[in-house]
Amino acid sequence: MNATSQPTQIAAGAGNAGNRTFVIAALVCAALAIAGFVVGLKQNQDSDSDQSARILADSSNVADIRDGQPRAAVYQKYLDVHGDKLNRGFSSQLGTLVSNERPTPDGDRSLTVEQRKALRAYDGAPPVVPHPIHQRDTQNCLSCHGEGLWIDSVFARPISHDPWPSCTQCHVEGRGTLQKWNLGSFSGMEAMAGVRYVTGAPPVIPHTATQVALTRSDCMRCHGTHAWPGVRYTQNDAHRIPAASTGEHEDRKIMNLRCQQCHVLQDR
Amino acid sequence: MKTGVDEGRRATLRGIAAAAACAAISPVFTRERVAHAAGADDALPAEAGLRWAKAPCRFCGTGCHVEVGVQGGKVVAIQGDAKAEVNKGLLCVKGYNVAEILYGKDRLTTPMLRRNGKLEPITWDQAIAEIASRINKAPDRFAFYGSGQWTVPEGYAANKFMKGGLSNNHIDPNARLCMASAVTGFLGTYGVDEPANCYDDLDQCTHLICWGNNPAEMHPMLMFRLTERLDEITIIDIGTRSTRTTEFADHFMQMDPHGDMAIANGVAHLLLKRGTYSKEFVENHCNFRKQADGKQELMGVASSFEEYQKLMQPYTPEHAAKLAGIPVKQIELLADIFGDPKNKIVSMWCMGMNQHTRGTAINELVHGLHLLSGHFGRPGDGPMSLTGQPSACGTVREVGTLSHALPGGRLVANAKHREQCEGFWNLPSGRINSKPGFHTVAMWDEFTKPDGAINMIWVQVTNPGQTLPNLNEYFNDKPADKFLVVSDVYPTLTTALADLILPSAMWVEKNGVFGNSERRTQQWFKQVDPPGQARDDCWQIIAVARKLYELGHAGMKDKDGTFLFNIVDGAGKPVPAWQWEHYYDVNVDEQLFEEYRPFTHMKHKNVAPYQELVKARGLRWPVVEASPGVWKETLWRFSEGLDPFVEKGKGVDFYHSTTNDGKAQIWFHPYEAPPEVPDSDYPLWLCTGRVVEHWHSGSMTMRCRALKGAMPDAYVEMNPQDAADMGLPNGSKVVVESRRGSIEAELRLNFRSIPKRGNVFVPFYDENIAINKVTLHDYCPISKQPDYKKCAVRIRKAE
């Protein structure tokens, strides 16, 4: 297994292949690491950088990151320790998870809205988890979803709020999207776009005050670097944000307050 | 000393809580972010066409408030109510998904009568006439089976209809299966029901003891309040399974089933032996009590401190630990905690202690530990009994929809109490029957056996076909001549056997009032119309009563000849509320609630006026008028300065004391083995319960996509080592069978919980895997509440 610390990128895989395959895989990984290093350096120069850790994985092997550092693949460990077939599903379902696209500032917002709807009963509902989870561990979600993590070409998105100690009291395993269940006629509230009342004015925040205070408390998690297409903040002079502050814990809070200097809740 | 909990994981959890606490400078963090939310106004952009209304959540007894987003006559969104003290703006996954319960595709929308074995649509007029004429033929053989999901006005109307109208006490709720032992525990100890403390204690205690309780799944918002303080408190988890709550616990005491009684006695023994009990509290505020030889009665007989000491003598830590199946040092640890007066201890429990063949006893033993050690009567320090249903307290316990009770803590067997109620209801003297009716298990027994005394049951807001114990005996073999009426919102195992089905309105399709576990009375208004012909349960009761009135049943009139449910308009003119088109001409809920309110004054449980409740996110009784127009709730009862009914200078006053001296009773109860224990034929213990996604029998939550998606079917859990020994692989289909019945389900190891060796767990929410075919019907002799937490089973691989 190869790992570099800057940028954080590891290749897990190769698995049972022969020696020769392993060497090739190792070379590929090294090449990717170097490429990633250069790209990472470049990206770090502006506020648009994606500082998320990356894991390259094939469909039988998944690794994780804790405290920002790559570790051995804990999900592998879970497989061994618990013999839990549900967790085995995690890696095999990797390819079925949403979003194989890199987030881009521009893009089709309606596509984003559709993808988000797949996991939410209505706009503002806690999303269901699109992959198997460990049923008693209440917070290992944060290994991937704390700061966001690339696993192969799939991005585990950072959560939109600061964590409470029990993720599973609100987020439950979805076993697929909600649409697969034909249980009734409930039609949930649709996500709204922020309205600009005057041309050029900053759009208002289309969430409720309770949501902004509690469950959508960190604007940049959804509208910053890792934004889904079409909901990312516009890159202009007004949004010239120091690179260091986009990823750092404390500064993020200040960032949030800054957002609300210009973007306000409507009809407060 | 850490016992049995992964310290590393706990440290990580603490880390999250601490990080949240440290970053208090920002309004987006933890308690500060909650406070911030509470100050906010929740209006959404106007173009959304959306309005938000308050309502308590439909599900459990925690009593969270949700904001219901309504658009175009439909509920389209939910958010936690930031103004609600209970949940402070957050919800659990059930609360967030509660809107979908209204819109399941198989909602019942038409009254249906079974003719020649087939259900056929009929009109409401026909349905009401059918019920009324059948009751009129044999009023004494009719029984009403309701629940802790009845709203306060619904339960009040049903109780008045039965006891005041039909002179029939055969009315009992499913809450008999859920918290009857908590009621008898409170009555036996304090002489008055319901907790003296409230959820605020969770924000102030230093120690939390979960007695067979898994709040992380069953009362998630209470767990949320606790996990906000992980760095400040010590959590002790006593139970037979390692659960999500155990993940947060400092100490896990994995007992054998029924071991709670031994643990409580072992701790009492040590407090006495070490002299670390509170001499001051015991001397000033407590008497001692025990059961007479060979008897099990609510009031027992007087005892003394000396006798109590002598009776507790055998429960040495070694003996207690052996009975309970935990290490001696854990009993000592609990005694250390109770023995330190500086600690603030909350004992929390729900079904684990209530669904217990010695349910009254274990409730009284835990109250006794708090009284003996003086951990009572100040904020953060006291026993906290939880309920599983949203209005088990508000409706069942306060309105008294039990076969032996009347509203306001009155008893049917007490002549003075009957007279008081007849006075309130303006009934002729002697109208109320003095003989208690059938409690739940007896009622269904009388209904299902061919020569039974009950020939007709009307079920509202519950699903006994799935939730009664020992279903094969008590539900599935109904004789053909018996008539079952079921008011419900979806097809259930109960409607499957119904002869007449009435489609009901639910939750925000009607006005309502609930009362949660902490004495909080909560009001909401109707927000959307029910589908099809579905109508309010309360209307159904009034309509049947009116039909009986028209048929000439004398009981439907008061002593002046006025109809029992005299609903009037603003000018005092009667409104024909029995006609559906006029039911919402006035607020029937408000009138029934205001009629009921004086009853609550009799045991100092004064509920707030309806209009005060309209303004609040619930108010905790007793609510008294501090100054004209200013109503004040009570957070802690029986303590001077906190409870308005405690006189100055008294300190602590148990003003409903059964010994009439202001003192509470500390009970002695011996450890007694459960009625059925594993043997060579049935070598394993079975425990049933819930999961976070599903509520009660799943008839509502199984219609919510996110909830069904997460947990589509029930399963069997056992200790992985037991499974390995028996050669049962994870994921295999197994049969769980007892002497009473069997079910088949998938075995899941290392899943939601890890049962202790020799124990099996199956959740009861899944109608396709009705585990209550397997459970035992034996009940606590005092509360009559059955034990769903332990019986003997065996497991084999399914063919």
Side-chain angles (χ1 to χ4, degrees):
Chain A
M1 185 172 288
N2 292 333
T4 62
S5 58
Q6 175 62 285
T8 46
Q9 189 170 95
I10 51 176
N16 301 325
N19 204 26
R20 194 187 162 94
T21 320
F22 179 78
V23 170
I24 292 170
L27 284 172
V28 169
C29 291
L32 278 169
I34 293 162
F37 180 71
V38 173
V39 170
L41 278 180
K42 191 167 181 298
Q43 285 187 341
N44 281 349
Q45 290 164 1
D46 60 52
S47 63
D48 194 28
S49 65
D50 177 1
Q51 298 182 353
S52 305
R54 294 179 69 84
I55 294 172
L56 302 178
D58 66 28
S59 64
S60 65
N61 201 346
V62 181
D64 99 334
I65 296 274
R66 276 178 201 267
D67 305 320
Q69 295 299 315
R71 293 262 181 104
V74 291
Y75 282 101
Q76 278 291 36
K77 201 175 96 191
Y78 277 125
L79 294 181
D80 295 341
V81 173
H82 297 289
D84 186 331
K85 64 171 189 162
L86 293 172
N87 277 304
R88 196 166 298 130
F90 175 84
S91 47
S92 66
Q93 289 189 14
L94 202 55
T96 68
L97 301 181
V98 292
S99 179
N100 287 318
E101 306 257 327
R102 284 292 309 255
T104 52
D106 312 311
D108 187 351
R109 180 179 171 278
S110 64
L111 206 71
T112 292
V113 169
E114 279 311 304
Q115 286 204 335
R116 287 172 55 80
K117 258 173 83 171
L119 304 178
R120 291 162 176 82
Y122 52 89
D123 183 56
V128 297
V129 184
H131 56 75
I133 60 172
H134 190 272
Q135 290 291 336
R136 274 186 326 287
D137 196 325
T138 48
Q139 50 88 56
N140 76 1
C141 321
L142 298 175
S143 315
C144 300
H145 296 284
E147 299 299 321
L149 177 70
W150 281 98
I151 304 166
D152 204 358
S153 60
V154 176
F155 186 57
R157 289 178 182 280
I159 58 173
S160 61
H161 54 81
D162 292 303
W164 279 280
S166 177
C167 305
T168 47
Q169 74 183 8
C170 296
H171 301 279
V172 295
E173 195 177 308
R175 296 171 198 245
T177 63
L178 294 175
Q179 278 75 10
K180 83 175 197 185
W181 298 102
N182 176 22
L183 297 177
S185 62
F186 175 76
S187 172
M189 181 172 72
E190 300 279 345
M192 281 170 291
V195 177
R196 294 177 201 270
Y197 282 109
V198 178
T199 309
V204 298
I205 299 173
H207 312 313
T208 70
T210 302
Q211 289 167 356
V212 169
L214 294 173
T215 53
R216 286 166 159 170
S217 57
D218 193 338
C219 311
M220 295 307 281
R221 296 289 187 95
C222 300
H223 302 289
T225 310
H226 304 308
W228 296 70
V231 298
R232 188 176 184 178
Y233 72 89
T234 318
Q235 287 182 295
N236 57 21
D237 284 352
H239 287 141
R240 196 183 298 266
I241 298 155
S245 65
T246 53
E248 294 304 317
H249 199 62
E250 284 310 313
D251 289 354
R252 228 175 35 227
K253 308 304 151 211
I254 298 165
M255 285 277 300
N256 243 23
L257 294 177
R258 283 189 191 169
C259 298
Q260 293 184 46
Q261 284 179 343
C262 299
H263 302 277
V264 295
L265 290 163
Q266 200 173 15
D267 289 341
R268 297 189 70 147
Chain B
M1 183 174 64
K2 297 290 172 183
T3 44
V5 175
D6 178 349
E7 185 56 21
R9 170 168 297 157
R10 166 84 185 191
T12 315
L13 294 168
R14 274 188 201 279
I16 291 171
C22 288
I25 44 164
S26 155
V28 291
F29 259 120
T30 322
R31 264 170 266 170
E32 282 64 29
R33 58 184 161 170
V34 170
H36 179 72
D41 185 64
D42 299 320
L44 264 183
E47 68 266 30
L50 188 83
R51 65 185 167 81
W52 294 97
K54 69 155 188 166
C57 177
R58 175 63 182 77
F59 300 121
C60 79
T62 304
C64 300
H65 268 90
V66 301
E67 286 193 278
V68 185
V70 183
Q71 194 173 29
K74 300 267 185 196
V75 178
V76 297
I78 295 292
Q79 69 176 1
D81 191 334
K83 295 189 185 76
E85 290 163 305
V86 173
N87 51 307
K88 306 178 183 192
L90 271 189
L91 292 170
C92 80
V93 66
K94 286 187 298 302
Y96 280 117
N97 287 283
V98 65
E100 293 197 17
I101 65 175
L102 302 175
Y103 301 110
K105 63 180 174 186
D106 52 350
R107 261 306 279 273
L108 298 170
T109 54
T110 318
M112 283 181 292
L113 182 67
R114 195 178 297 276
R115 288 183 180 121
N116 305 319
K118 197 165 157 275
L119 286 166
E120 293 172 6
I122 56 168
T123 67
W124 267 110
D125 285 349
Q126 289 169 318
I128 296 297
E130 179 79 30
I131 298 171
S133 66
R134 280 178 179 271
I135 294 173
N136 204 28
K137 269 181 223 151
D140 301 340
R141 300 190 68 195
F142 170 66
F144 212 147
Y145 187 65
S147 88
Q149 302 158 62
W150 257 337
T151 67
V152 170
E154 284 164 1
Y156 177 75
N159 215 11
K160 186 180 183 186
F161 167 67
M162 291 296 286
K163 289 166 185 159
L166 295 176
S167 304
N168 175 337
N169 295 330
H170 302 314
I171 174 171
D172 219 42
N174 68 357
R176 178 75 75 177
L177 313 173
C178 166
M179 34 89 310
S181 300
V183 177
T184 47
F186 278 111
L187 289 175
T189 304
Y190 311 101
V192 62
D193 185 26
E194 296 199 35
N197 55 352
C198 62
Y199 299 159
D200 293 47
D201 284 6
L202 303 177
D203 307 332
Q204 301 186 31
C205 64
T206 60
H207 292 75
L208 178 91
I209 306 173
C210 291
W211 294 82
N213 191 13
N214 178 13
E217 289 202 72
M218 308 321 152
H219 299 87
M221 282 304 104
L222 301 185
M223 198 69 207
F224 149 67
R225 286 172 74 151
L226 291 162
T227 53
E228 292 281 274
R229 307 181 58 228
L230 277 182
D231 51 339
E232 300 163 19
I233 60 170
T234 302
I235 298 179
I236 295 118
D237 180 24
I238 304 174
T240 61
R241 300 189 290 140
S242 166
T243 64
R244 282 185 182 171
T245 298
T246 318
E247 299 281 304
F248 294 102
D250 297 83
H251 306 283
F252 178 41
M253 306 187 176
Q254 194 164 27
M255 65 168 198
D256 290 330
H258 225 63
D260 43 8
M261 298 189 76
I263 294 172
N265 281 355
V267 175
H269 172 98
L270 275 181
L271 291 172
L272 294 166
K273 187 179 163 204
R274 293 170 174 179
T276 49
Y277 66 96
S278 172
K279 294 166 191 75
E280 184 273 330
F281 196 90
V282 169
E283 200 158 295
N284 293 325
H285 306 301
C286 303
N287 291 318
F288 289 85
R289 208 121 191 122
K290 61 166 190 170
Q291 293 291 357
D293 282 346
K295 293 240 171 85
Q296 290 286 342
E297 287 172 347
L298 180 60
M299 289 307 159
V301 294
S303 178
S304 66
F305 180 64
E306 290 68 32
E307 188 182 22
Y308 176 77
Q309 268 186 310
K310 199 166 145 255
L311 290 166
M312 280 295 182
Q313 205 68 51
Y315 294 94
T316 60
E318 292 72 24
H319 181 54
K322 188 158 176 280
L323 289 172
I326 64 171
V328 173
K329 65 178 182 180
Q330 293 193 323
I331 306 258
E332 291 168 344
L333 172 73
L334 282 173
D336 290 344
I337 292 168
F338 275 103
D340 185 344
K342 290 195 298 297
N343 292 336
K344 292 185 185 174
I345 308 166
V346 169
S347 284
M348 203 156 80
W349 71 91
C350 197
M351 297 307 129
M353 272 172 41
N354 295 346
Q355 294 181 336
H356 197 300
T357 47
R358 286 287 176 270
T360 308
I362 182 61
N363 269 265
E364 288 173 344
L365 289 177
V366 171
H367 288 302
L369 282 183
H370 278 268
L371 296 169
L372 185 66
S373 59
H375 286 291
F376 190 97
R378 59 174 178 161
D381 215 10
M384 179 86 225
S385 151
L386 303 175
T387 56
Q389 299 189 81
S391 200
C393 282
T395 304
V396 172
R397 291 159 77 161
E398 292 158 32
V399 175
T401 58
L402 294 146
S403 58
H404 65 280
L406 290 161
R410 312 289 86 188
L411 299 170
V412 298
N414 183 317
K416 186 158 166 273
H417 289 183
R418 290 197 302 279
E419 198 184 307
Q420 286 169 331
C421 291
E422 284 160 358
F424 277 120
W425 286 336
N426 192 35
L427 300 176
S429 177
R431 171 71 69 78
I432 298 172
N433 190 333
S434 63
K435 194 173 164 228
F438 294 122
H439 61 79
T440 296
V441 175
M443 178 192 291
W444 288 96
D445 191 31
E446 293 294 334
F447 184 65
T448 48
K449 66 186 180 192
D451 56 346
I454 298 297
N455 72 352
M456 173 179 182
I457 294 185
W458 184 0
V459 175
Q460 277 196 336
V461 226
T462 187
N463 186 6
Q466 189 171 337
T467 58
L468 286 171
N470 191 0
L471 282 171
N472 291 331
E473 176 83 14
Y474 290 104
F475 194 81
N476 289 338
D477 61 346
K478 177 172 76 78
D481 62 326
K482 307 259 176 161
F483 197 75
L484 181 63
V485 183
V486 181
S487 304
D488 212 331
V489 295
Y490 289 110
T492 62
L493 292 181
T494 308
T495 61
L497 255 72
D499 300 289
L500 176 60
I501 296 175
L502 306 177
S504 289
M506 71 191 297
W507 194 44
V508 294
E509 292 165 356
K510 62 188 183 186
N511 290 340
V513 180
F514 278 162
N516 82 347
S517 294
E518 56 163 356
R519 295 175 279 112
R520 184 185 291 275
T521 317
Q522 307 157 296
Q523 175 276 347
W524 77 93
F525 286 122
K526 172 177 173 169
Q527 298 301 329
V528 295
D529 285 325
Q533 298 182 54
R535 295 179 183 179
D536 296 31
D537 292 300
C538 194
W539 173 83
Q540 296 171 21
I541 296 165
I542 292 173
V544 167
R546 184 66 187 187
K547 195 56 150 183
L548 279 161
Y549 173 95
E550 288 162 8
L551 291 170
H553 191 290
M556 295 301 129
K557 296 173 187 174
D558 68 11
K559 65 182 179 191
D560 300 325
T562 309
F563 179 46
L564 276 189
F565 300 100
N566 187 33
I567 306 298
V568 295
D569 64 14
K573 206 169 137 263
V575 173
W578 56 88
Q579 293 170 7
W580 176 243
E581 16 344 329
H582 290 291
Y583 186 69
Y584 274 96
D585 285 0
V586 293
N587 187 344
V588 174
D589 254 40
E590 177 170 9
Q591 292 194 29
L592 289 174
F593 189 82
E594 287 300 327
E595 180 185 314
Y596 154 69
R597 202 155 66 81
F599 281 94
T600 66
H601 298 173
M602 286 188 288
K603 275 205 131 176
H604 302 90
K605 296 185 180 182
N606 309 24
V607 293
Y610 188 88
Q611 287 303 330
E612 291 300 312
L613 295 175
V614 168
K615 290 184 262 177
R617 262 51 170 183
L619 289 170
R620 284 164 283 193
W621 58 256
V623 182
V624 294
E625 200 168 14
S627 55
V630 180
W631 295 81
K632 202 166 162 287
E633 60 173 354
T634 302
L635 275 58
W636 292 278
R637 293 156 82 199
F638 308 132
S639 289
E640 184 182 338
L642 299 170
D643 182 336
F645 297 119
V646 174
E647 286 169 31
K648 242 195 164 107
K650 286 216 164 173
V652 171
D653 180 14
F654 297 103
Y655 46 77
H656 282 290
S657 167
T658 54
T659 39
N660 298 315
D661 54 1
K663 292 185 177 181
Q665 316 299 319
I666 297 178
W667 281 78
F668 170 76
H669 292 285
Y671 173 85
E672 288 166 292
E676 186 178 78
V677 296
D679 55 22
S680 54
D681 289 339
Y682 296 90
L684 297 163
W685 288 105
L686 170 70
C687 178
T688 71
R690 274 185 42 212
V691 291
V692 68
E693 293 89 350
H694 290 295
W695 190 78
H696 206 243
S697 65
S699 59
M700 291 182 287
T701 49
M702 287 289 259
R703 268 88 183 174
C704 303
R705 293 168 298 165
L707 304 177
K708 178 160 183 165
M711 202 47 103
D713 38 38
Y715 54 88
V716 178
E717 270 182 336
M718 59 194 297
N719 187 284
Q721 197 58 53
D722 286 340
D725 291 351
M726 294 168 68
L728 298 171
N730 194 5
S732 58
K733 278 268 180 203
V734 296
V735 174
V736 180
E737 61 187 338
S738 72
R739 291 179 177 86
R740 295 156 293 280
S742 66
I743 57 105
E744 191 177 308
E746 189 181 307
L747 178 66
R748 292 190 199 152
L749 303 175
N750 291 304
F751 191 55
R752 272 295 159 84
S753 74
I754 304 180
K756 191 173 187 177
R757 290 209 66 176
N759 287 262
V760 177
F761 175 80
V762 182
F764 78 95
Y765 70 83
D766 186 350
E767 63 179 14
N768 297 314
I769 300 170
I771 188 62
N772 284 328
K773 290 175 182 165
V774 180
T775 53
L776 191 69
H777 60 260
D778 284 50
Y779 48 75
C780 167
I782 300 167
S783 70
K784 317 289 191 274
Q785 176 169 359
D787 191 332
Y788 294 80
K789 299 292 187 189
K790 45 191 116 52
C791 70
V793 296
R794 63 186 170 209
I795 289 193
R796 60 180 163 81
K797 206 164 185 168
E799 275 108 42

